[in-house]
C-alpha cells in the first residue's frame, strides 16, 4: 500500500500544483487577488505582489510538469516539498502579521487565510516527500493495479476538492447551517440582533479600517446584510493615475461578529468608482498599530 501511494503521489501532487499554478500564472484577477495579500506590505507595491504570484505560479507549473513527466526522479518531488515548506512559512508569516489578508494560494479566493490553505501546503510537503521515494511510474502502476490506483486517485481528488476554497459553500456552509440548527446560534437571540453600531465599532478597531482611512471621507452612509455578511458603505476619494475621483468604500464583516466574539475580525475591503461602478485597484498601505494616549496625572 505504501508503495502504491508513493508511486501515485507524483500524479496527485502534480495535478494539485498544475491547478494552483495555472490559476496564479494565467488568472485574470491575479492583480486584484494580490492586492489583498500580505505581499503588498512586504514588497511595497501591488504590481510587484502580482508579479510575485505569477512567478510562483510558473514555478508550480514547472514542478508539476516534472512530476507528471519524470515521476521516478527525486528532484521533482524534492522541489514540490520545498515549495510546500515555503507555502507554510509564507502562510504562517501572513497569519501572524496580517490575519485579515488573503493568501492568494489559488488566485481565486479573497477570504482570509484559513485552515484549508495550511492543509493544502502541508499536503504538498507530504506528497512531495512521498514522490521522492517512488519506485516506478504512475502510469505503469495504474496499468498494473487499476482498481487500487483508481480508488486512491478518487480519494485524493475528494481530499483536494474538500480543501479548495471555491467549493467551501458546497459542503462547509450546509454543514455549518446544520450545526446551527442542531446546537443553536452561539449568540443568544440570533445574529439579526447584532446592531449596526456594534458592527461599526468592530470595523473601526480593525487593521482594514486603519489601512483604508486615507481613502474614506465620510461617516457611514448605508448598510445592508447579504448571505451572512454585513456590508457598510462609506464615501471616499481615490488619488490615482487618473487624478482624484469619488469612490465608494465597501467593508464586509461577518453578520454575527462583535467585539466580544471576534476580536480579530476578517474584513473585506472593496473600492468602487462612484461614476462607472468599476472596482478600483487600491493597494492599501500597511496600517501602523495605534498608540495609546497617555493618562493624565490627577491634579
Amino acid at each position: 500500500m505504501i508503495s502504491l501511494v508513493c508511486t501515485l503521489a507524483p500524479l496527485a501532487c502534480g495535478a494539485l500544483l498544475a491547478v494552483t499554478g495555472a490559476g496564479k500564472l494565467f488568472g485574470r484577477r491575479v492583480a486584484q487577488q494580490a492586492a489583498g495579500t500580505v505581499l503588498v506590505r512586504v514588497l511595497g507595491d501591488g504590481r510587484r505582489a502580482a508579479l510575485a504570484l505569477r512567478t510562483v505560479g510558473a514555478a508550480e507549473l514547472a514542478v508539476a510538469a516534472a512530476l507528471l513527466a519524470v515521476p521516478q526522479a527525486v528532484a521533482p518531488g524534492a522541489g514540490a516539498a520545498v515549495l510546500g515548506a515555503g507555502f507554510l512559512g509564507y502562510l504562517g508569516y501572513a497569519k501572524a502579521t496580517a490575519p485579515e489578508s488573503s493568501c492568494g494560494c489559488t488566485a481565486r479566493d479573497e477570504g482570509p487565510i484559513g485552515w484549508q490553505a495550511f492543509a493544502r501546503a502541508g499536503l504538498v510537503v507530504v506528497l512531495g516527500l512521498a514522490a521522492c521515494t517512488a519506485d516506478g511510474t504512475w502510469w505503469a502502476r495504474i496499468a498494473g493495479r487499476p482498481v487500487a490506483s483508481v480508488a486512491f486517485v478518487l480519494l485524493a481528488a475528494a481530499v483536494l476538492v474538500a480543501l479548495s476554497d471555491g467549493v467551501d459553500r458546497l459542503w462547509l456552509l450546509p454543514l455549518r447551517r446544520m450545526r446551527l440548527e442542531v446546537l443553536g446560534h452561539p449568540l443568544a437571540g440570533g445574529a439579526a440582533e447584532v446592531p449596526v453600531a456594534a458592527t461599526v465599532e468592530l470595523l473601526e478597531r480593525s487593521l482594514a479600517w486603519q489601512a483604508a482611512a486615507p481613502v474614506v471621507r465620510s461617516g457611514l452612509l448605508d448598510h445592508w446584510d447579504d448571505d451572512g455578511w454585513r456590508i457598510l458603505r462609506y464615501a471616499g476619494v481615490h488619488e490615482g493615475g487618473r487624478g482624484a475621483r469619488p469612490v465608494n468604500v465597501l467593508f464586509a464583516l461577518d453578520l454575527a461578529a462583535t467585539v466580544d466574539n471576534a476580536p480579530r475580525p476578517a474584513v473585506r475591503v472593496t473600492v468602487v468608482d462612484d461614476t462607472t461602478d468599476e472596482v478600483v485597484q487600491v493597494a492599501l498601505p500597511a496600517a501602523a498599530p495605534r498608540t495609546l494616549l497617555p493618562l493624565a496625572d490627577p491634579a
Side-chain angles (χ1 to χ4, degrees):
M1 184 62 184
I2 295 178
S3 176
L4 174 72
V5 172
C6 292
T7 307
L8 296 180
L11 175 61
C13 191
L16 173 60
L17 291 178
V19 172
T20 56
K24 294 188 187 78
L25 184 59
F26 303 114
R28 296 180 179 179
R29 301 175 62 243
V30 171
Q32 181 179 344
Q33 298 286 344
T37 69
V38 74
L39 291 174
V40 175
R41 176 181 299 180
V42 174
L43 301 176
D45 183 82
R47 293 181 180 179
R48 294 175 184 171
L51 179 60
L53 278 185
R54 294 191 188 280
T55 302
V56 172
E60 289 180 71
L61 282 179
V63 173
L67 283 169
L68 296 175
V70 284
Q72 288 178 286
V74 175
V82 170
L83 272 178
F87 294 154
L88 285 174
Y90 161 72
L91 291 171
Y93 173 78
K95 194 68 176 177
T97 59
E100 78 284 0
S101 66
S102 62
C103 69
C105 304
T106 62
R108 283 194 295 271
D109 187 74
E110 297 179 349
I113 296 172
W115 64 269
Q116 295 100 329
F118 284 96
R120 276 197 306 271
L123 191 59
V124 171
V125 175
V126 173
L127 291 175
L129 294 176
C132 292
T133 63
D135 56 0
T137 61
W138 55 267
W139 54 83
R141 182 68 67 172
I142 293 177
R145 298 180 61 184
V147 176
S149 299
V150 170
F152 173 79
V153 170
L154 292 177
L155 177 62
V159 171
L160 295 179
V161 169
L163 296 178
S164 300
D165 300 320
V167 298
D168 274 5
R169 63 191 63 188
L170 298 180
W171 66 277
L172 191 55
L173 288 182
L175 184 63
R176 288 172 174 171
R177 287 169 180 163
M178 184 177 68
R179 184 183 63 183
L180 292 177
E181 291 177 358
V182 175
L183 302 178
H185 200 281
L187 291 178
E193 294 186 3
V194 174
V196 175
T199 306
V200 173
E201 179 186 12
L202 185 64
L203 170 65
E204 293 180 351
R205 294 188 180 193
S206 69
L207 289 175
W209 173 258
Q210 295 182 47
V215 181
V216 175
R217 294 290 190 277
S218 76
L220 179 63
L221 297 179
D222 193 9
H223 65 85
W224 63 92
D225 301 335
D226 182 26
D227 194 23
W229 293 88
R230 174 160 289 161
I231 315 298
L232 306 175
R233 183 174 73 87
Y234 295 79
V237 175
H238 176 244
E239 299 281 350
R242 297 161 52 185
R245 51 175 168 168
V247 296
N248 286 304
V249 185
L250 305 178
F251 298 91
L253 293 86
D254 187 337
L255 180 60
T258 68
V259 292
D260 296 321
N261 62 20
R264 300 170 68 88
V267 183
R268 294 182 176 180
V269 185
T270 304
V271 179
V272 180
D273 189 291
D274 190 37
T275 304
T276 64
D277 287 337
E278 295 177 348
V279 175
V280 180
Q281 303 299 329
V282 177
L284 298 178
R290 290 181 176 178
T291 302
L292 296 177
L293 298 176
L295 181 65
D297 296 329

